[in-house]
Structure formats: structure tokens, C-alpha cells
Amino acid sequence: MTQYADIFDQKMMSNLFPEERTNDFFEALFGDAEEGSYDISLAYAGDNGDTVHFELQLRQRPGCCLACNLTYGLPQVFSRHPIINIQGVAEKVGEAVGKPENVSWKLGATQEKSRELHVIPLSISLS
């Protein structure tokens, strides 16, 4: 078992990135949460020493299309968007493992896992 796997269970993931954040994001973006074509969730993806890896998972909503042209520019959008708040997520991760100082993060490029699931890697350094 990895160093942080027990800490970052499903309950913690929901605390770090609440389900309603997706609707808040689309409400701010489009004026209507129903306009969003995917749901966003956070998943633990492992660790490497003092770097914890997560995925922002984009799951296609029923009757919608999770088109690549919708998701490939998202790392840049998510890195700055106050509702997504990646900096806040990183700070909470640091607090959860008792290392709240010197937290930094990096979003990777969108990866298409399937037509219904795209992921954006998030690495959080705790050193």
C-alpha cells in the first residue's frame, strides 16, 4: 500500500472536491448548470515520495458528448478558475497529510481514457 492511500479515500476525495462544484462551475461558465456535458470528480492516483498524484475525472453526462475539443483546453482553465480552485485543493491535501507549508501543484494534459471518461492529471508536491 502506498504512503497516502489510506488518507485519500472516497470520503476525503468528496471533501477535497465536492460534487456540487461541477454545477457551480457550469453555472458560472454558462449561467445554467444543466449546460455542462460532464461531471468533475477527484480521484487519488498514487504517490511518489512527497508528490501525491490525483486525477480530475471528467465523466460524460447522459445524453451529452464528451468531445476532445471541450476537454483539451481545460488544464489551463482549471489552473486559474476560482470555483475549481486547484490551489485550495492542494492546500487541503497538504493539511490532510500534516505538511501544509510549501505545497505546489501541476496539472498535466487531458488524457482520453474512453469516450465517456477524460482525466486531467494533478500532481501535488508536499516538499
Side-chain angles (χ1 to χ4, degrees):
M1 180 124 333
T2 59
Q3 182 178 353
Y4 300 114
D6 292 335
I7 295 171
F8 297 111
D9 59 10
Q10 188 55 48
K11 183 177 178 183
M12 176 61 83
M13 294 296 93
S14 295
N15 182 40
L16 292 170
F17 199 93
E19 183 178 319
E20 61 271 8
R21 196 170 292 180
T22 297
N23 284 339
D24 294 344
F25 173 70
F26 286 121
E27 181 72 32
L29 199 61
F30 299 125
D32 184 358
E34 298 300 315
E35 293 294 318
S37 60
Y38 51 86
D39 291 308
I40 309 165
S41 61
L42 186 67
Y44 174 74
D47 62 84
N48 183 6
D50 281 338
T51 301
V52 186
H53 303 285
F54 297 93
E55 292 178 339
L56 286 163
Q57 297 182 337
L58 313 173
R59 293 191 188 279
Q60 179 175 287
R61 288 181 172 176
C64 295
C65 178
L66 188 60
C68 296
N69 63 339
L70 293 177
T71 65
Y72 279 30
L74 285 176
Q76 293 80 13
V77 173
F78 283 3
S79 69
R80 305 185 296 275
H81 204 282
I83 291 174
I84 300 299
N85 191 14
I86 299 297
Q87 180 64 37
V89 170
E91 290 170 1
K92 285 183 178 181
V93 167
E95 290 168 8
V97 299
K99 297 181 179 183
E101 61 282 333
N102 299 324
V103 173
S104 61
W105 55 269
K106 179 183 178 187
L107 286 175
T110 303
Q111 301 170 2
E112 185 176 353
K113 299 291 185 175
S114 71
R115 292 183 67 153
E116 296 82 22
L117 174 65
H118 293 189
V119 301
I120 300 171
L122 168 61
S123 297
I124 300 176
S125 176
L126 305 169
S127 54

